[in-house]
Amino acid sequence: MATLLDPAQSQDRRTGDSVLDRVRALLPEIAARSAEGENARAVPADIVAALRQAGVFRMALPRVWGGEQLGLLEAARVVREIARADGSTGWTVQAASMAWYFVRSLPRKTLENEVFAGGADLMLRGAVAPKGLATPVKGGYRLRGRWPFASGPFTPDWMLGGFLVDGAPPLPDGRPDMRVALFRPEQVTFLDTWDAVGLRATQSTDFTMDDVFVPEHHTGSMFGDNNIPAPLYDLPYSPTGASHDAVVLGAVEGALADLSALAATKRPAFNPRALLGEDPVFQEKFAELHMRTVALTALSEHTGRLIMDRALAGEAPTPAEWFTYTGGTQHIHHEGIRILNDIMTLSGSAGLYSTSSLQRRWRDVRCVSQHVVGNNGAIRKLGAVLSGQN
């Protein structure tokens, strides 16, 4: 039984040496070794290395610095196909490739002359939440703190961390003056804290710093101006929801493919003469899940294209456009959970076993949906804008 949700039959039909083409060659092995990664609590190192060579970690970075400069949707399609093979690997790629957005306000000279002087084929890891506290000193800050959820089953070239400055006044709009720093991995201590229900192979561990000096030119405002020469980075804080959507959508598409394979072989316990896929009730429910997933994918593509077109035109999205995009991410995360719940129900007992990729996809999406990107109040903000209350 075939499913229509085959990305190789949809999106980008071009052939050639693109990031997506190179990634597609790796998908069978990524899928085959997903259980291995989960058991080891780390995506296999050789798969990470192959993905790096394929260009996924530089795919959103500017061409002038050696990156691929893919747009929001093109990068999300790469993530979605990887997540269709394995959610943890998809999350690893989205987290590391999109994290560069959060250092966009660092001085241009720092980015050009230090960070990207040798090219864009770099691995970034960290946590943007302002869990650090900095004391101003001559030439920079002394930084301390503990940051959770630093996703990345690899040794990074750079780390990032959000922080607050001791005694700093709030911004004019009342928000705290949140800042971000870029530093080397040898300046931090990683803690083995990631033993979670889903995304188990992402090594989303905590890390700490204790009175570490960070120069001023390695820091910037979390909400500052963009100094990275690519339109993606001109978008408002933060446009990374499309890549989060991609992990959810990829996992759901993979689960539908699993269900399709199950329907072609499973015989219900109390009706062993019939295949599950021959049941008209099953067929109708399966088709409904397919259409709900297609609708979510179309929503992500539509809203992402809308704001990316604004960025390419050098314009800011309107509040309604922006909150439709971010609110769409919130909706996709939570509707993705509901679809996975229904897929698990249709799978019967087969989806319960640890050998089933269905239960892993279900746990992964449950974990993704807990992220602040999926719980950011954007739908409420969209409602306020639509009601004339902005």
Side-chain angles (χ1 to χ4, degrees), residues 14-364:
R14 296 169 298 174
T15 58
D17 190 31
S18 68
V19 175
L20 193 57
D21 294 322
R22 297 192 290 269
V23 161
R24 283 174 174 161
L26 302 174
L27 295 179
E29 185 174 5
I30 291 172
R33 299 177 66 187
S34 55
E36 175 190 338
E38 172 140 326
N39 291 336
R41 291 194 296 144
V43 177
D46 57 326
I47 286 180
V48 174
L51 286 167
R52 185 175 190 170
Q53 186 173 10
V56 300
F57 298 111
R58 65 175 184 267
M59 66 181 174
L61 289 167
R63 290 191 189 92
V64 294
W65 292 348
E68 303 281 345
Q69 199 168 318
L70 298 190
L72 199 63
L73 295 188
E74 291 73 25
R77 288 169 188 161
V78 172
V79 172
R80 194 166 86 231
E81 293 217 18
I82 297 170
R84 194 175 191 265
D86 176 56
S88 283
T89 309
W91 183 266
T92 295
V93 170
Q94 83 81 20
S97 63
M98 290 294 138
W100 293 110
Y101 177 89
F102 301 104
V103 299
R104 64 178 184 159
S105 69
L106 266 65
R108 180 73 172 261
K109 288 184 179 180
T110 300
L111 295 169
E112 285 186 337
N113 299 336
E114 294 187 48
V115 180
F116 297 107
D121 199 18
L122 301 172
M123 308 284 278
L124 179 62
R125 185 176 176 184
V128 73
K131 297 291 188 177
L133 197 59
T135 301
V137 296
K138 184 178 180 180
Y141 302 96
R142 305 296 304 188
L143 187 57
R144 62 194 184 277
R146 175 170 173 167
W147 291 259
F149 309 123
S151 297
F154 51 78
T155 300
D157 299 287
W158 291 93
M159 294 287 298
L160 70 86
F163 69 95
L164 300 174
V165 179
D166 274 331
L171 297 173
D173 63 5
R175 289 181 298 177
D177 184 11
M178 292 182 277
R179 303 184 65 78
V180 65
L182 200 61
F183 36 85
R184 293 293 191 178
E186 55 267 24
Q187 295 177 288
V188 315
T189 299
F190 290 102
L191 306 176
D192 186 12
T193 53
W194 189 247
D195 188 5
V197 67
L199 301 178
R200 291 183 58 82
T202 63
Q203 284 195 355
S204 300
T205 62
D206 292 14
F207 69 93
T208 64
M209 296 176 74
D210 184 15
D211 196 35
V212 174
F213 176 74
V214 178
E216 172 72 27
H217 66 279
H218 278 202
T219 69
S221 171
M222 199 173 291
F223 307 108
D225 293 335
N226 173 35
N227 291 315
I228 297 180
L232 169 64
Y233 300 88
D234 289 328
L235 286 167
Y237 184 94
S238 156
T240 59
S243 65
H244 287 244
D245 293 347
V247 179
V248 174
L249 293 168
V252 173
E253 289 174 0
L256 286 173
D258 292 344
L259 187 60
S260 178
L262 188 66
T265 58
K266 182 178 180 179
R267 296 181 184 275
F270 292 95
N271 189 14
R273 294 182 180 179
L275 289 169
L276 180 62
E278 295 172 338
D279 183 344
V281 175
F282 175 88
Q283 292 170 356
E284 185 165 346
K285 290 182 177 178
F286 194 178
E288 179 185 338
L289 293 172
H290 168 82
M291 296 308 297
R292 285 165 65 187
T293 305
V294 169
L296 289 188
T297 304
L299 173 63
S300 185
E301 294 265 339
H302 171 73
T303 58
R305 176 58 59 202
L306 195 64
I307 66 161
M308 195 64 209
D309 284 349
R310 288 288 196 187
L312 291 169
E315 303 169 349
T318 68
E321 290 168 348
W322 181 249
F323 290 125
T324 297
Y325 170 70
T326 56
T329 290
Q330 186 175 336
H331 173 70
I332 288 165
H333 280 54
H334 294 281
E335 177 65 359
I337 295 170
R338 291 188 284 267
I339 292 173
L340 256 299
N341 284 341
D342 290 343
I343 290 173
M344 286 290 286
T345 298
L346 282 184
S347 75
S349 59
L352 301 178
Y353 290 89
S354 59
T355 54
S356 169
S357 56
L358 273 173
Q359 54 79 30
R360 184 172 60 250
R361 300 186 200 277
W362 180 65
R363 290 186 287 104
D364 286 346

Side-chain angles (χ1 to χ4, degrees), residues 364-387:
D364 286 346
V365 170
R366 176 70 266 179
C367 196
V368 173
S369 70
Q370 296 294 113
H371 196 280
V372 66
V373 167
N375 299 277
N376 57 12
I379 289 180
R380 183 176 65 251
K381 294 173 185 175
L382 174 61
V385 169
L386 296 176
S387 303

